[in-house]
Amino acid sequence: MCGIVAVVGSREAAPLLLEGLRHLEYRGYDSAGLATVHSLVSEDQGQLTCLRAKGKLINLAAMIDQNGAPGNLGIGHTRWATHGKPEECNAHPHRDSSGCIAVVQNGIIENHRALRETLEAAGVEFLSETDTEVIPHLIAKELHLLKLEGLPVCEAMLLTAVQRVLPKLKGAYALAVLWVETPSALVVARRQAPLLIGLGEGEFLCASDTPALASFARTILPMEDGEVALLTPLGIELYNQKGDRQKRSPSLLSGVNHVADKRNFRHFMLKEIHEQPETAELWVTRHLPEGLPADAPVALPFDDSFYFGIERIEILACGTSRHAALVGAYLLEQFAGIPTAVFYASEFRYAAPPLAPNTLTIGLTQSGETADTLAALAMDAERRENHGDSAFAPRQLGVTNRPESSLARQVPNILDIGAGLEVGVAATKTFLGQLFAFYGLSLNFAARRGTRSKEEIFSITQELRSVPNQLRSLVKMHDKLSEELAHKFADTKDVIFLGRGINYPIALEGALKLKEISYIHAEGYPAGEMKHGPIALLDPKVPVVSIAMPGVVFEKVLSNAQEAKARDAQLIGVAPEGPDTNLFDYLLPVPKVSEWISPLFSVVPMQLLSYHIAAHRGLDVDQPRNLAKSVTVE
Ligand code: G6P
């Protein structure tokens, strides 16, 4: 899993590869590497330089500065370790035994063990624990056979060798291959992992995602599943799985915001938390203009047919997106009256519920690149298409912060949350953007179905309009309060987060944020469930963060907090100030708003508390260990 980038053209490849990889670090940062081929005028073939460094891209950049990586042809990789530890030996590119072929790959070759055994039996020595390393060895074998068949060394020879290897690989891959004997040729291929060709000025590129291409290419050609392409300075040859030449027009590459600016903040995450009032403001301006009809109180880019006849909603998501989905499900069910279920995308792929008719399937992924979410959506579309009855036909919506992502190429309807570039691995403003998307959908569904009165709908839209300003003061206040509190809890080993109803997912999100960036063990629980197990963990050293927002479960949550207090736990309350909330040892006050919109506020202290604890511990907040912003393997 990982990000790949490749280029062939007329200028030095290394700086371009580095710049491309910088935009792919969200796919992993365990190690990075590149290979370039420098054409030697005196000889037919080139000279291959391969540099790999454990850790972040900055280490690779230093290595390039020191050693140089000349050549106009190159491939690069940033890794999130799957097979083999994040050591230099497992970093990509991987080479064949002669060191003449180099390969970078994103994905997992599922039959790599069997392939490796066969190759080892034939005398091949492996230098890494990766699944990828089988690929250069297999290509080398095919090239050898092609030479024996009498074919002259040419670019088509490398293409043919790769085409012969691909059917032997099981699993998902996006890969780029170069060979010293063809110093102007790059072969790229994809199956179930994204890969886009970029058309630059005097060069052709290829990358896992558009931001890596945005500085160099004006147009792109997304590769389709099973395709393989030969890229040379003269052009592109694209072939489908059967080997038939494909002709498609490239599309304009637009709307990719790839400028990451920390402004004056210490970390991207803190900046992104502070940008949330802006995220809210943008959403309100775009989607809640005055004068909308009563049956469509929120301006969304869908016509009547989108809403018509939906009887059930299924939401597929991972990580923080799944927590936003749980809030969304609460709104869609409790406010709009539509039965809604949320699934871990990785579970849904292999244990989907029986097909229900007239179902809207929502894929929720801020990056639009999470492999499990994309695959779960594809699986669901396929089983619905195969059903035959039109009531079961796929109706899919993608909700994302990246309207130009793989998700957008896969599903017919896209809702752009418009939160702007998010760099911190821990999602913050995109979570808020996802919540807003669900307010929009729930209000429109409720209005159309008549499940809520006009007055109720009006009152929520009015409340949503005032969120940006309220968030402005909230973020400022909590930045200070959380920093103070962080000093007290920075050495804590375990924290319990409690919430109920619409704020139960916020307790889950609070626990996830803390785990992700501070490496402190945390559990999120529905407050009423604490007495069935987690209460046994409580003692004076285990703080309990309790989200108590006025509404149907307010008193219940306060009682659950009392139960924790009776076991000497230190209580941190996320609740409005008032006599009811005096029981908390520390109060992180939030405004008294309607319960429906309360998650938009209760999540802010969760984010800031985690941030300040991690920052206080001196951790790498923006790129925490072992994580990636988007997980692009299964
Ligand atoms: C990774 C990230 C999480 C994120 C999840 C889903 O695990 O570390 O922060 O929530 O992927 O990402 P997505 O892009 O699908 O929302």
Side-chain angles (χ1 to χ4, degrees), residues 14-77:
L16 202 144
L17 294 173
L18 263 185
E19 167 71 5
L21 289 176
R22 211 162 55 75
H23 297 293
L24 296 176
E25 263 198 311
Y26 79 89
R27 303 169 81 91
Y29 39 78
D30 286 338
S31 65
L34 57 67
T36 55
V37 173
H38 180 46
S39 295
L40 299 175
V41 185
S42 53
E43 295 168 34
D44 289 341
Q45 62 176 50
Q47 178 189 307
L48 190 137
T49 307
C50 185
L51 299 174
R52 309 182 301 177
K54 185 178 164 175
K56 301 205 177 129
L57 200 53
I58 194 167
N59 301 344
L60 177 68
M63 208 178 232
I64 297 170
D65 275 351
Q66 215 176 348
N67 302 288
N72 303 337
L73 169 68
I75 56 180
H77 190 270

Side-chain angles (χ1 to χ4, degrees), residues 11 16 19-20 22-23 200-201 203 205 210-218 253 256 258-259:
R11 57 175 157 159
L16 202 144
E19 167 71 5
R22 211 162 55 75
H23 297 293
E201 275 177 31
E203 64 209 359
L205 305 105
T210 45
L213 300 172
S215 310
F216 315 107
R218 294 222 186 96
L253 176 58
V256 184
H258 61 278
V259 182

Side-chain angles (χ1 to χ4, degrees), residues 195 238 449 464 563 569 607 631:
L195 200 55
L238 186 66
R449 297 161 73 95
L464 287 172
E563 289 156 16
Q607 298 167 338
V631 178

Side-chain angles (χ1 to χ4, degrees), residues 329-348:
Y330 186 97
L331 291 168
L332 289 162
E333 275 194 350
Q334 306 298 322
F335 190 78
I338 312 173
T340 304
V342 177
F343 298 89
Y344 288 105
S346 54
E347 289 294 309
F348 185 91

Side-chain angles (χ1 to χ4, degrees), residues 240-484:
N240 68 8
Q241 216 157 356
K242 286 192 231 148
D244 301 327
R245 182 96 186 249
Q246 304 295 294
K247 293 250 181 235
R248 278 201 305 278
S249 304
S251 52
L252 222 56
L253 176 58
S254 59
V256 184
N257 173 11
H258 61 278
V259 182
D261 178 7
K262 221 185 271 175
R263 303 206 323 236
N264 284 329
F265 289 93
R266 192 168 152 206
H267 294 102
F268 278 107
M269 182 182 173
L270 187 60
K271 183 195 83 154
E272 286 152 6
I273 294 172
H274 277 265
E275 280 172 350
Q276 292 181 112
E278 220 177 291
T279 308
E281 177 111 56
L282 263 173
W283 190 87
V284 168
T285 313
R286 277 185 199 154
H287 300 287
L288 284 182
E290 299 290 346
L292 288 174
D295 65 345
V298 183
L300 297 181
F302 310 122
D303 61 20
D304 289 351
S305 63
F306 173 82
Y307 300 94
F308 185 73
I310 301 277
E311 289 168 5
R312 178 180 162 83
I313 295 178
E314 294 181 350
I315 313 175
L316 318 178
C318 303
T320 288
S321 292
R322 185 176 157 275
H323 298 154
L326 290 169
V327 176
Y330 186 97
L331 291 168
L332 289 162
E333 275 194 350
Q334 306 298 322
F335 190 78
I338 312 173
T340 304
V342 177
F343 298 89
Y344 288 105
S346 54
E347 289 294 309
F348 185 91
R349 293 178 69 173
Y350 302 103
L355 278 181
N358 302 313
T359 300
L360 174 69
T361 311
I362 302 180
L364 183 68
T365 157
Q366 68 78 21
S367 66
E369 298 292 337
T370 298
D372 280 319
T373 309
L374 297 181
L377 282 167
M379 184 280 274
D380 195 52
E382 197 186 334
R383 67 179 187 149
R384 287 181 175 280
E385 264 148 22
N386 291 340
H387 188 282
D389 181 338
S390 64
F392 290 84
R395 297 177 73 169
Q396 295 198 331
L397 165 69
V399 180
T400 183
N401 196 36
R402 295 273 319 281
E404 78 296 347
S405 62
S406 298
L407 176 78
R409 292 189 288 278
Q410 189 176 314
V411 301
N413 302 299
I414 284 292
L415 190 51
D416 177 7
I417 63 170
L421 181 70
E422 186 177 74
V423 175
V425 162
T428 52
K429 64 174 179 170
T430 56
F431 178 79
L432 193 90
Q434 290 173 332
L435 296 190
F436 271 108
F438 282 114
Y439 285 106
L441 288 168
S442 308
L443 284 163
N444 276 3
F445 270 117
R448 277 165 191 271
R449 297 161 73 95
T451 43
R452 291 279 161 181
S453 68
K454 277 187 190 148
E455 292 69 35
E456 273 177 295
I457 290 177
F458 179 74
S459 134
I460 303 282
T461 52
Q462 286 304 92
E463 277 206 275
L464 287 172
R465 285 196 172 96
S466 62
V467 170
N469 276 340
Q470 286 173 292
L471 274 183
R472 240 164 235 128
S473 42
L474 189 78
V475 170
K476 257 192 219 139
M477 171 176 71
H478 280 283
D479 197 1
K480 216 162 158 280
L481 280 179
S482 305
E483 191 172 7
E484 284 160 19

